[in-house]
Amino acid sequence: MAERPTAEIAVPSKDPKEKKKDEEKKPDSKTNGVKDEEEELSEEDAQLKSELEMLIERLRESNTDLYRPALETLRTLIRTSTSSMTSVPKPLKFLRPHYPGLQTLFDTWPASENKSLFADILSVLAMTYSDTEPRGTLRYRLLSASLLPPASKISEPGSWGHEYVRHLAAELGEEYTIRQEGEEAVPAPAAEGDADKPKPAPVPGTIKDLRDLGLECATFFLGHNAEPDAVDLFVELEIVDRITDLVDANTFSRVCAYMDRCVMLLPPPDDVTFLRTIHKIYLRFSKFPEALSVAIRLNDPNLIREDFNASGNPVMKKQLAFLLARAQIPIEWLRPPPSEDADAEDELPEDIIDCLSNVHLSRHFKEFGKEVGVEDPKSLEDVYKSHLETTRSGPSANVDSARANLAGTFVNAFVNAGFGNDKLMVAAEEGNSWVYKNKDHGMMSAAASLGLGLLWDTDIGLSHIDKYTYSPEEWIKAGAFFATGLLNAGVRTEADAALALLSEHVENKSVPLKIAAIMGLGVAYAGSHREDLLSLLLPAVADDGVSMEIASLSALALGFVFVGSGNGEITSTILQTLMEREDHVLDEKCGRFMALGLALLYVGLQDASDATLETLKAIPHPISRQTQILVEVCSFVATGNVLRVQKLLHLCGEHLDALKEKEAESTEGKKEEKKEEKKPDDTFQSFAVLGIAMIAMGEDIGAEMSMRQFNHLMHYGDPIIRKSVPLALGLISASNPQLPVLDTLSKYSHDNDLAVALNAIFAMGLVGAGTNNARLAQMLRQLAGYYYKEPDCLFMVRIAQGLVHMGKGTIGINPFFSDRNIMSRPAIAGLLATIMAFTDAKAFVLDKYHWMLYFLVTAMYPRFLITLDENLESKPVTVRVGQAVDVVGQAGKPRTISGFQTHQTPVRLGTTERAELATEEFIPYAHVLEGFVILQKNPGWEKEDTMQL
């Protein structure tokens, strides 16, 4: 037995030795032998090699007349020999061993034009030594430029080929970074040893020289379909704005597309610089819709006004007006500032005002419903399909009928929104209206549902609502006021009916009427920045005698109206109120809406909220912490800012340790302390979870990353955090039902904690809002059977079913539009306010604030593509609709949609879908086919047509 292992070991121990001997022999033969082999392989290579060696010898000789021709020949040989893309060019391969010798030779030459050419050649050779001598290529390139006499010009970097330019660009970036970091970076290499000694001294030239060389490289890139490389180089050299002068008609669209994609990944000041640069480029090439959409993203009133007035074409102006109306930009921004005496230009033409005010929306939406075949009203049973539910019938299913009727109110309102023909409310006979099937505060929501049923239809709508405003029942009257506000959401009229009807009731003695009037105004004028509403609503925020509820809702209404304006007057008033109010008043749950009202003022303003955040830190009450989080996440909404997300995750992870320490510290006053400490502690974490969704939304990679974080929070979080995660999921993919999200929510909707389940069910409604998603509808039917004994959850299931079939599948609530590039600020406000009511569903939605579900109306918008002719009449054309594909940075002209179907307009578009015209018969004025698009006949089309015949 003992021998066998020795025998086994002995055999391998001999073989490797022999191998090693062979290997030792091989290198000797290689050094001499390989050369012979190569020489034998091809005569051309041998000839080239000897020629190169001869040229190098010439440079070493004392006869200076031979230098110039030798260098010229070397240059020609190197340039003409790029054999294939994959292998190293032969001359570089053969010259590599001579590089150190040539370097020492170069140092001995006196400054002359010849030396400049020599430096240029060395710069190319340095590419082969880039690992041992970094930035050699750049150093010799700059030396070559500095040695030339002022009259002559150095050859273009592009003349040495693409690889050389890319190499140079990479070294430019490195060198620039080292220079910017300054002297701190210099001492380190010196200490490392002799090998690195050439590092600090070499690269000559100033920052300006580096940038000028960068411009040359970028010009080459732009001419050779490498737009991303050019942009990246400019980012490294911090001169992105200078790319505007280099692009031409062929490259600008690709440059802008790439820069646009980069915006999400850049830290704060850079992203705005990028957007402004894109804007400049678009304006230079008269691409007005693209320029205007960038101006809207920047939220800059001056740019928006200039872009809107830049086009002389009245039809183009109408198209721009449709874009502004979709983003709900205040019309006042388009009028020149009061200081300029421009009486002539003061009034915009009426047809453009109509486009800006969304007046056509209702008519076109109803026509669209007719075309798509969904104009008939849907009954509740059509939505519930309760015959498919798996409910155990019997006496046990005694559902609270008032609660069921209330759910029916919302389902009917959301499903038949905008069509103005639902059977329960609008078309109901006098005295037989659904309103009377509800109790007390239920009547308010029922009457308010009229506003949703008649959405955007300001003419007919008011006459329907009017009869309820005279009702003796206070709740019905309040509902009618709120309906007036809902009706006007996103639509502006000359009559200003909402303001005329509601302003007098803001001071009403009755609380429900007062609240309805305040919130009605907030919703009707969301995003309009109307100064006259400021004087109307602000006193209620500042008045100490008013209940916290009314003060908070007034602040929220102001937040809606002045969303994203950073209005100083409102900010200071809300801060003042938060400072002066008693602690027990601030403890009320309504306080979160005041915090939200303040936060909405800063939507998308990034660093502009710093001063407010600092002031909030001075408020001792826990509400200040909640407000800080809300203000911060609203400021950075949809920016994908990683640092802010990390900060919020940190807040979510605080709870456990803090509570353990408290338990250890106090034994006697434990209960009291917990009561006081825990409540405020909790709420801010809930907002932090929502904040992660707010910051990550609008960009797919960020949204996907946040999904993983939510998963962790769901596993390890406290109840308050677990309760908020489903809401965050609903927010991050509103009207965008992707399978992973649906499955996750489906899992949470069966959670043991009913608060989590409830929010998950609502989130399912948000995710599927207006998509008619069959899988989701099936899930909700199963949940209706599962929760048949839980009135709260069943109520929520019904509402989710209503949301999924919103507008019979024609209305979505995703706050991003125009190819998911532009964020609608009022939509963000509406979504956030609704979700805020669910952070404590028991106190708000399940109690008497269920009307807060109607806040979604500011985010509701039809998801259609309607093509119009130049007179704004409907013009059916064929379009292809498919899933949008990201083609940024791809070569050629790849397809922008996949898996398309061809339809006749008007057509419905999903959140992630994109449309393109099927033929070239018409040219669209808009850059993205979405919403209202005006078409122009293509003048060259008919000629082509006749030729084909």
Side-chain angles (χ1 to χ4, degrees):
M1 286 297 285
E3 283 172 33
R4 280 177 73 181
T6 50
E8 278 174 21
I9 293 162
V11 177
S13 70
K14 280 180 187 173
D15 285 2
K17 274 182 192 169
E18 284 172 22
K19 275 183 194 167
K20 274 178 196 164
K21 280 176 195 167
D22 295 346
E23 280 168 19
E24 279 163 25
K25 285 175 196 167
K26 272 180 193 168
D28 304 338
S29 62
K30 249 189 188 169
T31 43
N32 312 322
V34 170
K35 283 179 190 169
D36 301 338
E37 276 173 40
E38 279 187 9
E39 277 165 26
E40 284 164 24
L41 272 174
S42 88
E43 288 174 31
E44 285 175 38
D45 290 357
Q47 191 183 342
L48 177 65
K49 193 165 187 304
S50 59
E51 196 174 341
L52 290 169
E53 279 166 1
M54 181 194 73
L55 290 168
I56 289 167
E57 282 309 309
R58 287 235 184 111
L59 297 177
R60 292 206 170 103
E61 286 168 18
S62 53
N63 184 354
T64 49
D65 298 344
L66 296 173
Y67 291 171
R68 186 80 191 177
L71 289 168
E72 294 277 5
T73 319
L74 259 178
R75 179 166 70 180
T76 318
L77 283 172
I78 293 172
R79 277 187 188 171
T80 51
S81 73
T82 313
S83 49
S84 79
M85 288 301 289
T86 48
S87 62
V88 179
K90 287 280 180 353
L92 291 188
K93 195 169 163 185
F94 296 144
L95 287 171
R96 189 173 190 277
H98 302 287
Y99 178 67
L102 289 172
Q103 275 180 302
T104 43
L105 181 63
F106 173 81
D107 294 335
T108 60
W109 282 24
S112 65
E113 207 167 329
N114 286 349
K115 187 167 181 176
S116 164
L117 181 54
F118 193 6
D120 207 6
I121 291 168
L122 279 178
S123 161
V124 181
L125 290 183
M127 292 196 321
T128 58
Y129 262 83
S130 58
D131 46 353
T132 51
E133 289 185 28
R135 297 185 297 291
T137 306
L138 177 62
R139 177 183 164 216
Y140 283 115
R141 172 81 201 179
L142 291 168
L143 276 174
S144 171
S146 62
L147 291 166
L148 271 181
S152 51
K153 204 170 172 292
I154 189 170
S155 62
E156 296 280 315
S159 60
W160 292 106
H162 203 283
E163 193 52 47
Y164 174 74
V165 182
R166 286 185 56 183
H167 209 90
L168 199 55
E171 295 191 355
L172 269 170
E174 278 174 41
E175 177 63 25
Y176 185 81
T177 313
I178 288 171
R179 298 258 179 114
Q180 289 306 88
E181 283 168 4
E183 284 66 60
E184 311 137 39
V186 176
E192 277 176 28
D194 301 349
D196 292 326
K197 266 182 190 164
K199 263 194 206 171
V203 183
T206 59
I207 292 277
K208 184 182 180 303
D209 294 340
L210 292 181
R211 286 180 167 164
D212 291 345
L213 184 53
L215 285 170
E216 283 183 48
C217 293
T219 313
F220 175 82
F221 284 141
L222 289 171
H224 292 77
N225 300 328
E227 293 89 354
D229 292 348
V231 177
D232 293 345
L233 176 59
F234 276 4
V235 172
E236 288 191 309
L237 298 178
E238 295 177 357
I239 47 170
V240 169
D241 46 341
R242 285 170 71 176
I243 201 166
T244 321
D245 311 322
L246 297 185
V247 291
D248 58 21
N250 301 321
T251 55
F252 82 91
S253 57
R254 289 168 62 88
V255 168
C256 288
Y258 178 72
M259 288 176 73
D260 195 0
R261 274 282 170 273
C262 294
V263 170
M264 273 297 193
L265 310 170
L266 292 167
D270 295 356
D271 51 4
V272 177
T273 317
F274 254 53
L275 282 172
R276 290 195 182 277
T277 308
I278 299 171
H279 181 261
K280 258 191 225 155
I281 295 175
Y282 279 140
L283 269 190
R284 193 181 138 202
F285 292 97
S286 303
K287 293 286 180 192
F288 299 117
E290 287 94 326
L292 184 62
S293 66
V294 175
I296 294 172
R297 284 166 70 182
L298 285 163
N299 201 27
D300 182 329
N302 296 330
L303 277 186
I304 291 174
R305 188 176 64 252
E306 286 161 20
D307 292 352
F308 182 70
N309 295 323
S311 168
N313 181 346
V315 184
M316 175 57 93
K317 268 209 157 136
K318 286 180 197 168
Q319 181 66 69
L320 297 178
F322 280 132
L323 183 60
L324 290 172
R326 173 69 182 95
Q328 295 188 25
I329 295 294
I331 296 180
E332 289 70 34
W333 284 9
L334 302 177
R335 303 203 168 101
S339 54
E340 300 169 20
D341 297 327
D343 298 325
E345 292 178 42
D346 210 357
E347 280 311 306
L348 294 162
E350 195 173 315
D351 52 351
I352 287 179
I353 291 268
D354 282 355
C355 297
L356 282 168
S357 311
N358 258 339
V359 174
H360 304 295
L361 186 59
S362 179
R363 176 170 64 89
H364 282 298
F365 178 63
K366 286 176 181 166
E367 282 172 16
F368 168 64
K370 207 175 281 180
E371 286 285 333
V372 187
V374 294
E375 62 171 334
D376 300 335
K378 274 194 168 190
S379 68
L380 297 181
E381 189 45 45
D382 293 342
V383 177
Y384 297 161
K385 299 203 168 104
S386 44
H387 60 282
L388 298 174
E389 285 174 14
T390 51
T391 323
R392 281 146 281 185
S393 55
S396 59
N398 60 338
V399 183
D400 169 8
S401 69
R403 185 45 79 77
N405 285 355
L406 183 59
T409 303
F410 288 106
V411 172
N412 176 54
F414 285 128
V415 172
N416 295 307
F419 288 99
N421 60 1
D422 69 285
K423 294 196 177 93
L424 297 187
M425 290 297 304
V426 181
E429 293 151 28
E430 189 62 49
N432 199 15
S433 163
W434 186 256
V435 173
Y436 304 109
K437 297 212 168 111
N438 288 279
K439 285 195 278 193
D440 301 346
H441 47 78
M443 288 180 161
M444 176 173 171
S445 283
S449 71
L450 263 178
L452 222 56
L454 297 156
L455 197 55
W456 308 311
D457 189 350
T458 44
D459 306 337
I460 301 169
L462 288 170
S463 59
H464 272 288
I465 292 168
D466 190 50
K467 60 188 179 205
Y468 290 101
T469 54
Y470 301 112
S471 166
E473 186 70 61
E474 200 174 64
W475 291 108
I476 295 181
K477 211 169 173 180
F481 290 164
F482 195 34
T484 311
L486 295 175
L487 177 72
N488 286 288
V491 181
R492 311 265 174 269
T493 52
E494 273 178 56
D496 245 352
L499 187 59
L501 294 168
L502 299 179
S503 54
E504 57 193 282
H505 297 287
V506 170
E507 294 299 321
N508 203 309
K509 293 278 182 288
S510 152
V511 173
L513 294 182
K514 194 168 186 171
I515 289 177
I518 290 171
M519 284 327 302
L521 286 170
V523 171
Y525 295 101
S528 68
H529 299 203
R530 290 273 294 264
E531 291 296 331
D532 44 356
L533 291 170
L534 189 67
S535 51
L536 199 59
L537 296 171
L538 205 54
V541 181
D543 187 354
D544 275 352
V546 174
S547 72
M548 187 63 182
E549 175 187 25
I550 287 175
S552 296
L553 291 173
S554 302
L556 180 60
L558 284 167
F560 268 114
V561 177
F562 289 90
V563 61
S565 68
N567 187 303
E569 200 178 332
I570 304 174
T571 305
S572 55
T573 309
I574 295 179
L575 287 172
Q576 194 78 18
T577 308
L578 290 175
M579 283 174 184
E580 290 171 359
R581 288 258 170 159
E582 305 276 320
D583 274 6
H584 67 85
V585 180
L586 292 175
D587 283 339
E588 283 183 36
K589 291 186 169 169
C590 291
R592 66 192 68 195
F593 288 106
M594 185 173 280
L596 180 61
L598 176 60
L600 290 177
L601 299 174
Y602 290 101
V603 168
L605 294 187
Q606 299 209 5
D607 296 326
S609 60
D610 288 354
T612 309
L613 288 170
E614 285 308 312
T615 317
L616 281 167
K617 287 176 187 165
I619 300 173
H621 191 274
I623 197 169
S624 89
R625 195 167 189 191
Q626 302 165 20
T627 316
Q628 281 172 45
I629 293 175
L630 283 174
V631 170
E632 194 166 354
V633 298
C634 282
S635 309
F636 288 91
V637 60
T639 53
N641 189 310
V642 181
L643 296 174
R644 310 278 158 179
V645 175
Q646 287 171 346
K647 198 167 161 188
L648 293 169
L649 282 169
H650 197 75
L651 290 171
C652 294
E654 258 180 33
H655 54 293
L656 296 169
D657 312 340
L659 284 177
K660 277 179 197 161
E661 282 165 24
K662 277 176 212 152
E663 278 171 29
E665 280 167 19
S666 57
T667 41
E668 300 109 18
K670 190 164 154 188
K671 281 178 192 165
E672 291 152 41
E673 250 191 54
K674 260 200 171 174
K675 264 183 201 165
E676 277 176 37
E677 292 287 331
K678 198 171 177 190
K679 255 189 239 159
D681 251 356
D682 274 6
T683 319
F684 80 83
Q685 288 187 323
S686 176
F687 298 165
V689 176
L690 294 175
I692 296 169
M694 290 278 289
I695 291 175
M697 72 200 289
E699 180 243 355
D700 298 339
I701 301 169
E704 235 169 87
M705 283 161 64
S706 64
M707 297 274 290
R708 280 190 51 204
Q709 299 302 342
F710 291 144
N711 224 338
H712 294 319
L713 291 174
M714 206 60 188
H715 278 281
Y716 306 114
D718 269 11
I720 184 83
I721 289 182
R722 298 190 66 232
K723 197 167 81 175
S724 312
V725 168
L727 296 174
L729 286 171
L731 182 60
I732 211 163
S733 50
S735 284
N736 187 9
Q738 292 156 321
L739 276 181
V741 184
L742 289 186
D743 290 343
T744 311
L745 287 173
S746 176
K747 189 171 75 187
Y748 296 158
S749 66
H750 294 81
D751 199 273
N752 293 334
D753 181 351
L754 281 183
V756 175
L758 191 91
N759 285 354
I761 296 167
F762 176 63
M764 287 164 92
L766 286 182
V767 169
T771 59
N772 279 351
N773 189 297
R775 183 178 181 130
L776 193 47
Q778 175 60 27
M779 283 178 185
L780 290 168
R781 279 198 293 276
Q782 284 170 348
L783 283 169
Y786 184 76
Y787 283 122
Y788 76 108
K789 279 184 177 172
E790 288 288 344
D792 286 350
C793 290
L794 186 58
F795 173 68
M796 218 59 250
V797 171
R798 295 304 182 208
I799 285 175
Q801 284 177 314
L803 288 173
V804 170
H805 297 284
M806 185 186 281
K808 294 170 232 173
T810 56
I811 296 179
I813 57 169
N814 194 297
F816 294 91
F817 63 96
S818 182
D819 233 350
R820 290 195 295 162
N821 273 337
I822 308 177
M823 177 184 77
S824 159
R825 288 176 167 77
I828 289 283
L831 277 171
L832 206 52
T834 314
I835 284 176
M836 198 51 74
F838 276 88
T839 51
D840 193 340
K842 280 254 183 302
F844 296 112
V845 179
L846 300 176
D847 196 29
K848 55 179 199 280
Y849 292 97
H850 35 72
W851 50 267
M852 287 186 172
L853 282 165
Y854 291 133
F855 286 156
L856 282 176
V857 74
T858 57
M860 287 165 60
Y861 200 84
R863 307 182 355 168
F864 54 33
L865 160 62
I866 292 184
T867 44
L868 308 169
D869 61 14
E870 297 184 352
N871 305 320
L872 302 189
E873 290 305 317
S874 193
K875 176 141 198 82
V877 294
T878 47
V879 289
R880 292 193 283 259
V881 178
Q883 286 297 317
V885 181
D886 186 8
V887 293
V888 172
Q890 290 185 16
K893 287 190 178 172
R895 286 232 171 261
T896 52
I897 57 175
S898 75
F900 60 81
Q901 291 178 315
T902 308
H903 296 284
Q904 187 91 348
T905 57
V907 64
R908 179 188 171 285
L909 296 177
T911 306
T912 54
E913 288 179 332
R914 189 181 283 162
E916 52 184 44
L917 294 177
T919 63
E920 290 179 14
E921 187 177 354
F922 293 97
I923 302 169
Y925 277 95
H927 63 302
V928 175
L929 296 189
E930 204 173 290
F932 295 109
V933 176
I934 304 175
L935 300 176
Q936 172 190 16
K937 190 92 170 136
N938 185 348
W941 166 255
E942 286 176 276
K943 293 169 199 162
E944 290 176 27
D945 218 28
T946 47
M947 280 168 66
Q948 283 171 358
L949 287 169

